[in-house]
Amino acid sequence: MKLKFGALAAVALFASTAHAQSSVTLYGALDSGLLYQSTSAALASAPFLPNTKLNGNAGHVVQLKDGGIYSSIFGMKGTEDLGGGYAANFKLQGAFNTSNGQTQRFSVPASLGSSIFTQVTTVGLSGPFGKIDFGRQFAPMAYAMAETDVRNAQYFGSVLTAWLTMNTMSGWSGSTTNGQIGALYDDNSIVYNSPSFYGVSTALQYSPGGVAGQAQGGTRESAILKYSGFGLNADAVYYNGHDANPFPYTSPNAAVPATGLNNNRFVYFGAKYTWHGFSVSGSFSNGRNPARPNAAPPFVVSGDFDMWTGGLGYRFSPVFDVTSGVYYLKDNKHNANQSTAYAIGGNYRVSARTALYAQVGYVSNRGQMNQELIYGTPVAPGKNTTAVNFGLRHTF
């Protein structure tokens, strides 16, 4: 009996210890501000399609805008210490619009399903080997772009908004998160992040498509090589996908059968250097659809784009910094289609969790281009546009 009671006591003590070494955290952010934009359009156009007319200029717009810096989010994450330096982890995160309370985009049009956690739903393990996560998550290329952009891939005037334009110009309607070029999020993903060796690390991604009878149907794969040290962040990205954006622009509620076509490729090289509060960044990338090698009539946009970026920033104090960037896009097969966006913004942290921001941007769109200045607010294609945004971001 003493042995039995001793064993029960040991089990209870172990369970108590395991519980003490586990944690669950609720977290979130609210980001909202006032936006003025000198031109606007009903939606992001896909002018490469036959017989598709450009959206006209609907005029200037003044609106309450969610996500001047990043989207408003709510989530929970947890970890359990497994001993020996190993841990089990999970993360659930969804984005929502503070101006109306609606959840933001996920992998299918709203008419075909719903989602609470629109950004991340992962479970995984971490340890001396690195970290591996399973589920819907940010594609590793998204982190690489943010790490090598002075404006940190923010929602206003950054490498993110320029890259999103590459997608819309290639036929992405924005009704789902399945982009035409690269990916911000990927469903069904397995992502491995290695430990850092003298500042060098890798991230590898594979997303099985789960399509019966089609081994490559809907698959995604990517590899990222990173260096971080002595104030320098440098990243190289290769992303490849099959059956990108299964919901076409012409009928966004109808899925396209998987064919296994290799139609989504993105390569990126970027670096950012920071010294005594001063930061400079630059990058080059190319996005294309290998399954559509030419842009013969009636296509007026090729879907094959180069992107060049540059940025400068300075942290004046621990609570105040200014960042600026230039983002240039070019259609490789139609020289008339070019776009250059300029953005500058300042952030002032009034506390550890609350920041005020102000930013202004200008974009020169030529030909059929429609580079946006802020994510989710289309501009009139082929028109020069100015945008001004003031806002508040609070994290908890």
Side-chain angles (χ1 to χ4, degrees), residues 235 266-271 282-286 305-309 332:
D235 293 74
F266 181 77
V267 294
Y268 176 89
F269 304 93
S283 73
F284 167 78
S285 56
N286 173 261
F305 289 95
D306 284 340
M307 175 172 68
W308 298 85
T309 77
N332 278 343

PDB file of all heavy atoms in Angstrom, residues 235 266-271 282-286 305-309 332:
ATOM      1  N   ASP A 235      18.608  37.673 -46.983  1.00  0.00           N
ATOM      2  CA  ASP A 235      17.739  36.527 -47.248  1.00  0.00           C
ATOM      3  C   ASP A 235      17.669  36.243 -48.742  1.00  0.00           C
ATOM      4  O   ASP A 235      17.608  37.185 -49.559  1.00  0.00           O
ATOM      5  CB  ASP A 235      16.330  36.805 -46.735  1.00  0.00           C
ATOM      6  CG  ASP A 235      16.259  36.904 -45.231  1.00  0.00           C
ATOM      7  OD1 ASP A 235      16.709  37.924 -44.657  1.00  0.00           O
ATOM      8  OD2 ASP A 235      15.747  35.962 -44.608  1.00  0.00           O
ATOM      9  N   PHE A 266       8.401  32.371 -57.463  1.00  0.00           N
ATOM     10  CA  PHE A 266       8.867  33.643 -56.916  1.00  0.00           C
ATOM     11  C   PHE A 266      10.276  33.463 -56.382  1.00  0.00           C
ATOM     12  O   PHE A 266      10.545  32.518 -55.632  1.00  0.00           O
ATOM     13  CB  PHE A 266       7.933  34.084 -55.782  1.00  0.00           C
ATOM     14  CG  PHE A 266       8.288  35.400 -55.150  1.00  0.00           C
ATOM     15  CD1 PHE A 266       8.000  36.595 -55.787  1.00  0.00           C
ATOM     16  CD2 PHE A 266       8.895  35.453 -53.896  1.00  0.00           C
ATOM     17  CE1 PHE A 266       8.313  37.817 -55.193  1.00  0.00           C
ATOM     18  CE2 PHE A 266       9.210  36.656 -53.299  1.00  0.00           C
ATOM     19  CZ  PHE A 266       8.912  37.844 -53.950  1.00  0.00           C
ATOM     20  N   VAL A 267      11.178  34.348 -56.797  1.00  0.00           N
ATOM     21  CA  VAL A 267      12.532  34.364 -56.248  1.00  0.00           C
ATOM     22  C   VAL A 267      12.801  35.766 -55.708  1.00  0.00           C
ATOM     23  O   VAL A 267      12.318  36.766 -56.260  1.00  0.00           O
ATOM     24  CB  VAL A 267      13.600  33.977 -57.294  1.00  0.00           C
ATOM     25  CG1 VAL A 267      13.424  32.525 -57.713  1.00  0.00           C
ATOM     26  CG2 VAL A 267      13.547  34.895 -58.503  1.00  0.00           C
ATOM     27  N   TYR A 268      13.590  35.820 -54.630  1.00  0.00           N
ATOM     28  CA  TYR A 268      13.792  37.092 -53.927  1.00  0.00           C
ATOM     29  C   TYR A 268      15.177  37.102 -53.311  1.00  0.00           C
ATOM     30  O   TYR A 268      15.636  36.100 -52.737  1.00  0.00           O
ATOM     31  CB  TYR A 268      12.727  37.232 -52.834  1.00  0.00           C
ATOM     32  CG  TYR A 268      12.864  38.449 -51.948  1.00  0.00           C
ATOM     33  CD1 TYR A 268      12.255  39.648 -52.292  1.00  0.00           C
ATOM     34  CD2 TYR A 268      13.569  38.387 -50.744  1.00  0.00           C
ATOM     35  CE1 TYR A 268      12.364  40.764 -51.464  1.00  0.00           C
ATOM     36  CE2 TYR A 268      13.683  39.495 -49.918  1.00  0.00           C
ATOM     37  CZ  TYR A 268      13.077  40.681 -50.283  1.00  0.00           C
ATOM     38  OH  TYR A 268      13.183  41.773 -49.461  1.00  0.00           O
ATOM     39  N   PHE A 269      15.851  38.246 -53.425  1.00  0.00           N
ATOM     40  CA  PHE A 269      17.138  38.474 -52.776  1.00  0.00           C
ATOM     41  C   PHE A 269      17.073  39.843 -52.105  1.00  0.00           C
ATOM     42  O   PHE A 269      16.826  40.848 -52.774  1.00  0.00           O
ATOM     43  CB  PHE A 269      18.293  38.452 -53.785  1.00  0.00           C
ATOM     44  CG  PHE A 269      18.364  37.179 -54.581  1.00  0.00           C
ATOM     45  CD1 PHE A 269      17.728  37.085 -55.806  1.00  0.00           C
ATOM     46  CD2 PHE A 269      19.058  36.072 -54.092  1.00  0.00           C
ATOM     47  CE1 PHE A 269      17.779  35.905 -56.546  1.00  0.00           C
ATOM     48  CE2 PHE A 269      19.117  34.899 -54.816  1.00  0.00           C
ATOM     49  CZ  PHE A 269      18.481  34.815 -56.044  1.00  0.00           C
ATOM     50  N   GLY A 270      17.283  39.879 -50.794  1.00  0.00           N
ATOM     51  CA  GLY A 270      17.167  41.147 -50.087  1.00  0.00           C
ATOM     52  C   GLY A 270      18.125  41.225 -48.921  1.00  0.00           C
ATOM     53  O   GLY A 270      18.579  40.205 -48.380  1.00  0.00           O
ATOM     54  N   ALA A 271      18.437  42.469 -48.501  1.00  0.00           N
ATOM     55  CA  ALA A 271      19.325  42.681 -47.365  1.00  0.00           C
ATOM     56  C   ALA A 271      18.966  43.993 -46.677  1.00  0.00           C
ATOM     57  O   ALA A 271      18.494  44.944 -47.319  1.00  0.00           O
ATOM     58  CB  ALA A 271      20.787  42.702 -47.802  1.00  0.00           C
ATOM     59  N   GLY A 282      17.606  46.939 -49.409  1.00  0.00           N
ATOM     60  CA  GLY A 282      17.427  46.834 -50.851  1.00  0.00           C
ATOM     61  C   GLY A 282      17.091  45.408 -51.213  1.00  0.00           C
ATOM     62  O   GLY A 282      17.476  44.457 -50.524  1.00  0.00           O
ATOM     63  N   SER A 283      16.357  45.219 -52.306  1.00  0.00           N
ATOM     64  CA  SER A 283      16.004  43.868 -52.724  1.00  0.00           C
ATOM     65  C   SER A 283      15.679  43.825 -54.212  1.00  0.00           C
ATOM     66  O   SER A 283      15.357  44.848 -54.834  1.00  0.00           O
ATOM     67  CB  SER A 283      14.798  43.347 -51.937  1.00  0.00           C
ATOM     68  OG  SER A 283      13.597  43.983 -52.341  1.00  0.00           O
ATOM     69  N   PHE A 284      15.781  42.628 -54.758  1.00  0.00           N
ATOM     70  CA  PHE A 284      15.326  42.336 -56.120  1.00  0.00           C
ATOM     71  C   PHE A 284      14.522  41.049 -56.076  1.00  0.00           C
ATOM     72  O   PHE A 284      14.889  40.093 -55.380  1.00  0.00           O
ATOM     73  CB  PHE A 284      16.484  42.157 -57.097  1.00  0.00           C
ATOM     74  CG  PHE A 284      16.053  41.551 -58.408  1.00  0.00           C
ATOM     75  CD1 PHE A 284      15.413  42.332 -59.360  1.00  0.00           C
ATOM     76  CD2 PHE A 284      16.234  40.191 -58.668  1.00  0.00           C
ATOM     77  CE1 PHE A 284      14.968  41.773 -60.555  1.00  0.00           C
ATOM     78  CE2 PHE A 284      15.810  39.630 -59.862  1.00  0.00           C
ATOM     79  CZ  PHE A 284      15.176  40.424 -60.809  1.00  0.00           C
ATOM     80  N   SER A 285      13.427  41.011 -56.831  1.00  0.00           N
ATOM     81  CA  SER A 285      12.643  39.783 -56.924  1.00  0.00           C
ATOM     82  C   SER A 285      12.000  39.673 -58.295  1.00  0.00           C
ATOM     83  O   SER A 285      11.822  40.667 -59.011  1.00  0.00           O
ATOM     84  CB  SER A 285      11.576  39.723 -55.832  1.00  0.00           C
ATOM     85  OG  SER A 285      10.735  40.857 -55.887  1.00  0.00           O
ATOM     86  N   ASN A 286      11.667  38.439 -58.634  1.00  0.00           N
ATOM     87  CA  ASN A 286      10.948  38.157 -59.877  1.00  0.00           C
ATOM     88  C   ASN A 286       9.826  37.180 -59.575  1.00  0.00           C
ATOM     89  O   ASN A 286      10.029  36.172 -58.902  1.00  0.00           O
ATOM     90  CB  ASN A 286      11.883  37.556 -60.932  1.00  0.00           C
ATOM     91  CG  ASN A 286      11.130  37.089 -62.174  1.00  0.00           C
ATOM     92  OD1 ASN A 286      10.834  35.909 -62.326  1.00  0.00           O
ATOM     93  ND2 ASN A 286      10.807  38.029 -63.049  1.00  0.00           N
ATOM     94  N   PHE A 305       6.827  39.647 -63.601  1.00  0.00           N
ATOM     95  CA  PHE A 305       7.194  40.954 -63.071  1.00  0.00           C
ATOM     96  C   PHE A 305       8.522  40.922 -62.337  1.00  0.00           C
ATOM     97  O   PHE A 305       8.853  39.949 -61.650  1.00  0.00           O
ATOM     98  CB  PHE A 305       6.119  41.459 -62.091  1.00  0.00           C
ATOM     99  CG  PHE A 305       4.834  41.853 -62.743  1.00  0.00           C
ATOM    100  CD1 PHE A 305       3.789  40.953 -62.837  1.00  0.00           C
ATOM    101  CD2 PHE A 305       4.673  43.124 -63.271  1.00  0.00           C
ATOM    102  CE1 PHE A 305       2.600  41.306 -63.444  1.00  0.00           C
ATOM    103  CE2 PHE A 305       3.494  43.492 -63.879  1.00  0.00           C
ATOM    104  CZ  PHE A 305       2.455  42.580 -63.971  1.00  0.00           C
ATOM    105  N   ASP A 306       9.269  42.022 -62.459  1.00  0.00           N
ATOM    106  CA  ASP A 306      10.429  42.284 -61.625  1.00  0.00           C
ATOM    107  C   ASP A 306      10.049  43.329 -60.585  1.00  0.00           C
ATOM    108  O   ASP A 306       9.255  44.243 -60.869  1.00  0.00           O
ATOM    109  CB  ASP A 306      11.602  42.823 -62.445  1.00  0.00           C
ATOM    110  CG  ASP A 306      12.290  41.738 -63.250  1.00  0.00           C
ATOM    111  OD1 ASP A 306      12.128  40.547 -62.914  1.00  0.00           O
ATOM    112  OD2 ASP A 306      12.994  42.086 -64.219  1.00  0.00           O
ATOM    113  N   MET A 307      10.620  43.201 -59.405  1.00  0.00           N
ATOM    114  CA  MET A 307      10.410  44.193 -58.349  1.00  0.00           C
ATOM    115  C   MET A 307      11.762  44.583 -57.760  1.00  0.00           C
ATOM    116  O   MET A 307      12.562  43.723 -57.386  1.00  0.00           O
ATOM    117  CB  MET A 307       9.506  43.645 -57.242  1.00  0.00           C
ATOM    118  CG  MET A 307       9.340  44.598 -56.053  1.00  0.00           C
ATOM    119  SD  MET A 307       8.101  44.056 -54.852  1.00  0.00           S
ATOM    120  CE  MET A 307       8.880  42.589 -54.161  1.00  0.00           C
ATOM    121  N   TRP A 308      12.016  45.896 -57.706  1.00  0.00           N
ATOM    122  CA  TRP A 308      13.210  46.450 -57.073  1.00  0.00           C
ATOM    123  C   TRP A 308      12.749  47.330 -55.922  1.00  0.00           C
ATOM    124  O   TRP A 308      11.802  48.109 -56.063  1.00  0.00           O
ATOM    125  CB  TRP A 308      14.022  47.291 -58.056  1.00  0.00           C
ATOM    126  CG  TRP A 308      14.558  46.538 -59.233  1.00  0.00           C
ATOM    127  CD1 TRP A 308      13.910  46.262 -60.409  1.00  0.00           C
ATOM    128  CD2 TRP A 308      15.859  45.954 -59.351  1.00  0.00           C
ATOM    129  NE1 TRP A 308      14.725  45.553 -61.256  1.00  0.00           N
ATOM    130  CE2 TRP A 308      15.929  45.343 -60.641  1.00  0.00           C
ATOM    131  CE3 TRP A 308      16.978  45.892 -58.521  1.00  0.00           C
ATOM    132  CZ2 TRP A 308      17.062  44.685 -61.097  1.00  0.00           C
ATOM    133  CZ3 TRP A 308      18.110  45.238 -58.965  1.00  0.00           C
ATOM    134  CH2 TRP A 308      18.149  44.643 -60.231  1.00  0.00           C
ATOM    135  N   THR A 309      13.421  47.223 -54.767  1.00  0.00           N
ATOM    136  CA  THR A 309      13.043  48.053 -53.620  1.00  0.00           C
ATOM    137  C   THR A 309      14.279  48.664 -52.969  1.00  0.00           C
ATOM    138  O   THR A 309      15.385  48.126 -53.075  1.00  0.00           O
ATOM    139  CB  THR A 309      12.290  47.232 -52.548  1.00  0.00           C
ATOM    140  OG1 THR A 309      13.222  46.446 -51.790  1.00  0.00           O
ATOM    141  CG2 THR A 309      11.253  46.312 -53.175  1.00  0.00           C
ATOM    142  N   ASN A 332       7.760  42.448 -67.438  1.00  0.00           N
ATOM    143  CA  ASN A 332       8.909  42.064 -68.260  1.00  0.00           C
ATOM    144  C   ASN A 332       8.620  42.000 -69.747  1.00  0.00           C
ATOM    145  O   ASN A 332       9.549  42.062 -70.559  1.00  0.00           O
ATOM    146  CB  ASN A 332       9.444  40.694 -67.812  1.00  0.00           C
ATOM    147  CG  ASN A 332      10.348  40.808 -66.605  1.00  0.00           C
ATOM    148  OD1 ASN A 332      10.833  41.894 -66.284  1.00  0.00           O
ATOM    149  ND2 ASN A 332      10.569  39.707 -65.923  1.00  0.00           N
TER     150      ASN A 332
END
